[in-house]
Amino acid sequence: MAWLTLALLVLDAIARRRSEYAKEARVIAHFPLWCLALPAIASWVVLMMSQHAWQLQALLFVLQLVLVVTAVRRYQTWPWVVLPLSAVLVLWSGLIAQHQFVGRTTTVGHRSGMDGGFTQNVSAEFKKPELHRFYARLMLINQRGELNDFTCGDPPPRMEFELTLEPEGEWNERLVDVAYSPKINEDQDRCVAFGLSYVVEQALAEVDHGPPIDYGYRRFGGKKQPPYVSGPPRPPICLCDLRDSGHEWVAFSEKQAAELRARR
């Protein structure tokens, strides 16, 4: 689209240099044709900078239509370049706006504060219905007491979640942003933080059954890298007697737990 737009603008410049009729039409119109390309270029720049600015994209598309209508009306005596250029730019802006609108984020849930969060990669089959099922599953964490094993006897926090489905883009993978409250102390409640990640990963595995997305990554040297497949989530082992030792007290295997105890 960009190259075709450039070619049409160059054609217009050549026509104006060689045709007095085209030059006169430009003077009468008082509207340089390169202005038509500005909304489409701006839409492309916005798309590169953000995958979520769909409202701005809609505004730029409307501006593109207004400029096209203005140009067509003013260049009625010389439509040979204006009409194909207008068609190309409307198509260009429309495709970008459609991509931005279809690919915008979806958010469910509510949390009382901005306290913590992490992301989880999801498959192409994970869409809005799966996002709602995932949220409903996370709402059972408090009811089932799934964090009780990671609190060292303390009352478990009552979790609130806000989930955002981020569609894959040129610069990002497809993922779910898991935001939660209340805030978890990364030192005193370190095992709770790891336990929450474990429980969330388990819940996601119950909902997302699609294969991992192949993003076409390549290793150094050009060899294609297969899609990343994560192993089953591992529950953290809380060494509560080492909680106030000032050293690591969360392990992920019995061997690691024994090594941590041996360092006392």
Side-chain angles (χ1 to χ4, degrees), residues 136-148 158 203 206:
R137 172 61 183 83
L138 293 185
M139 287 296 94
L140 297 176
I141 290 177
N142 297 323
Q143 179 181 338
R144 295 179 177 178
E146 295 183 60
L147 296 178
N148 291 355
R158 185 165 186 83
E206 296 174 13

Side-chain angles (χ1 to χ4, degrees), residues 120 194 197-205 230-236 252:
Q120 294 284 330
F194 284 116
S197 296
Y198 165 72
V199 170
V200 169
E201 285 184 39
Q202 277 196 316
L204 182 60
S230 61
R234 295 185 299 171
F252 290 91

